[in-house]
Amino acid sequence: MMDKVRRAGILGTGRYVPEKVVTNEDLSAKMDTNDEWIVTRTGIRTRHIAASGEAASDMAAEAGRRALERAGISADQISFMMVATGTPDYPIPSTASIVQEKLGLSHTGAMDISSGCAGLIYGLIIAGGMVSSGMADYVLVISSEMLSRHLDWTDRSVCILFGDGASAAVVGPVPEREGILSFDMGTDGRFWNSIHIPAGGVVQPVSEEAIRNKDIYMKMEGKKVFAWSVRRMKETADISLRRAGLDKKDISLFLFHQANLRIIQCLSEKMGIPMDKIPIELDRFGNTGPASVGIALDEALRKGYIRKGDKVLLDAFGAGFIWSSAVIGF
Ligand code: ACO
């Protein structure tokens, strides 16, 4: 254990998306939708969908491997790992156990995080706390979402929104003035059933009736989700900025959860942030759940959009309703 609190930050990131690309035209051939509707209402043009036989743990392991590589940290230096997912390989055990085995991290603790699309940011904050307090030196945080397996591919209002993917980050000690400068985490359980899969848990185990009623698929109240995500993502961003003692102008990039371009445009308008400070990845990947913010962060780092001294805001909202934000210095 360390006597002194130290700064924790992101040492390296990785991402993985499955090979297969599904375009809006591909979807239009299967259901009553079209490219124009999808692009106008969501901004999404393509998404990646996992191959049969591919699991959330496979995507997670690949993203984790790449993050370790980019951080220059070996597997045996990691002391704890987390996998944020709403689409675990199995109800029991945790997907983190399976990923731990795939990455050869047999000496670490491992756990899943079920915090909807905010899961990766929740994980980064928990990892940051562990590193800052000296409980751990290096923590691997992964998010992996394979919603394609939980979508009703005849429900055009939901299935067009999502893609499969994973992202990861190694959290470790960083110099003063870098790393996680502030954060906020929130939940509003009144809306727990506004995004949910009714069957498959203990309340409604999978049955022929559940399958017939399509209760095994994700249900979503689209308009409610839209309105609350704009409200909560703005509120949490304001809180994290205030806690960091920073103004919007001090932030180089705003990495918002990539659910829908219109949600992001609303945030840009309400917060007075120019769109060129908000990377957009959802056009290529769709909504990849908790992985989306990490994919956007990985892209921004790899393309050199984040430079030494920059401050970046991460901000996500999802099923629960759960949201979270963090200001991170590089
Ligand atoms: N193609 C063509 N028409 C469609 C489609 C489609 N894919 N989907 C719905 N429509 C039709 C509807 O049937 C409706 O027709 P009607 O007027 O004849 O009844 C019409 O389009 C309008 O439908 P709305 O649901 O009112 O469309 P809206 O503008 O609200 O857009 C959307 C729907 C895109 C789902 C929007 O509500 C939204 O983005 N919500 C946020 C969802 C979200 O981001 N969820 C994820 C966040 S949480 C997480 O990541 C798990």
Side-chain angles (χ1 to χ4, degrees):
M1 289 281 190
M2 298 243 320
D3 298 334
K4 199 166 146 269
V5 168
R6 58 183 175 175
R7 281 260 164 232
I10 292 174
L11 306 182
T13 59
R15 72 168 171 86
Y16 170 84
V17 288
E19 221 173 286
K20 185 179 173 191
V21 176
V22 173
T23 65
N24 292 345
E25 284 76 15
D26 294 333
L27 295 177
S28 310
K30 287 193 196 150
M31 66 189 81
D32 184 14
T33 189
N34 56 77
D35 179 60
E36 204 241 326
W37 193 97
I38 300 174
V39 172
T40 314
R41 303 288 177 125
T42 72
I44 298 165
R45 293 177 187 277
T46 60
R47 70 285 289 145
H48 291 243
I49 300 294
S52 68
E54 199 168 12
S57 62
D58 294 318
M59 300 199 305
E62 196 47 46
R65 214 169 275 128
R66 292 176 189 182
L68 286 169
E69 221 174 271
R70 287 185 66 87
I73 296 293
S74 64
D76 58 9
Q77 288 175 277
I78 297 291
S79 32
F80 195 72
M81 61 162 299
M82 294 174 247
V83 176
T85 184
T87 58
D89 283 11
Y90 304 99
I92 294 175
S94 77
T95 301
S97 290
I98 302 166
V99 177
Q100 191 232 31
E101 198 257 333
K102 286 182 176 167
L103 287 175
L105 294 170
S106 56
H107 56 285
T108 68
M111 71 176 196
D112 278 6
I113 299 176
S114 177
S115 298
C117 300
L120 180 76
I121 306 180
Y122 265 59
L124 293 174
I125 293 165
I126 296 165
M130 293 176 81
V131 171
S132 285
S133 67
M135 285 168 68
D137 283 334
Y138 300 103
V139 180
L140 180 60
V141 185
I142 307 177
S143 56
S144 181
E145 197 84 327
M146 198 175 276
L147 270 168
S148 63
R149 301 276 162 82
H150 293 286
L151 296 175
D152 173 1
W153 287 98
T154 64
D155 179 356
R156 64 179 185 171
S157 65
V158 177
C159 73
I160 52 127
L161 298 169
F162 296 95
D164 299 331
S167 59
V170 176
V171 176
V174 293
E176 206 54 43
R177 280 188 289 278
E178 286 182 27
I180 301 169
L181 304 178
S182 67
F183 67 86
D184 176 54
M185 302 159 111
T187 303
D188 190 343
R190 289 176 301 165
F191 299 110
W192 65 266
N193 64 355
S194 290
I195 307 172
H196 86 305
I197 300 174
V202 295
V203 172
Q204 191 186 354
V206 174
S207 63
E208 278 178 21
E209 195 193 354
I211 294 169
R212 211 169 33 248
N213 294 341
K214 301 192 169 189
D215 281 345
I216 55 169
Y217 299 122
M218 194 168 83
K219 318 277 180 200
M220 186 180 69
E221 297 179 278
K223 283 188 198 306
K224 196 188 270 183
V225 173
F226 192 113
W228 280 97
S229 60
V230 172
R231 179 172 164 180
R232 295 302 192 192
M233 284 170 76
K234 180 186 179 311
E235 278 173 7
T236 188
D238 289 341
I239 293 170
S240 280
L241 285 169
R242 201 172 57 241
R243 287 180 181 162
L246 295 170
D247 185 80
K248 282 173 291 218
K249 289 194 286 295
D250 302 318
I251 301 295
S252 314
L253 282 185
F254 292 82
L255 297 173
F256 290 122
H257 174 43
Q258 304 280 308
N260 181 320
L261 184 60
R262 287 190 301 143
I263 291 177
I264 292 177
Q265 284 166 337
C266 277
L267 284 165
S268 150
E269 219 168 273
K270 284 184 189 297
M271 294 179 65
I273 306 163
M275 281 300 286
D276 62 9
K277 279 192 161 191
I278 310 176
I280 301 298
E281 304 295 347
L282 58 84
D283 52 340
R284 289 188 294 156
F285 302 121
N287 180 349
T288 54
S292 92
V293 166
I295 288 176
L297 176 62
D298 183 67
E299 289 277 325
L301 284 167
R302 283 196 301 153
K303 287 178 181 161
Y305 295 160
I306 300 174
R307 285 175 299 268
K308 188 108 186 110
D310 279 357
K311 291 174 186 69
V312 169
L313 180 102
L314 311 185
D315 189 344
F317 173 94
F321 289 148
I322 293 186
W323 58 91
S324 188
S325 63
V327 175
I328 302 188
F330 285 87

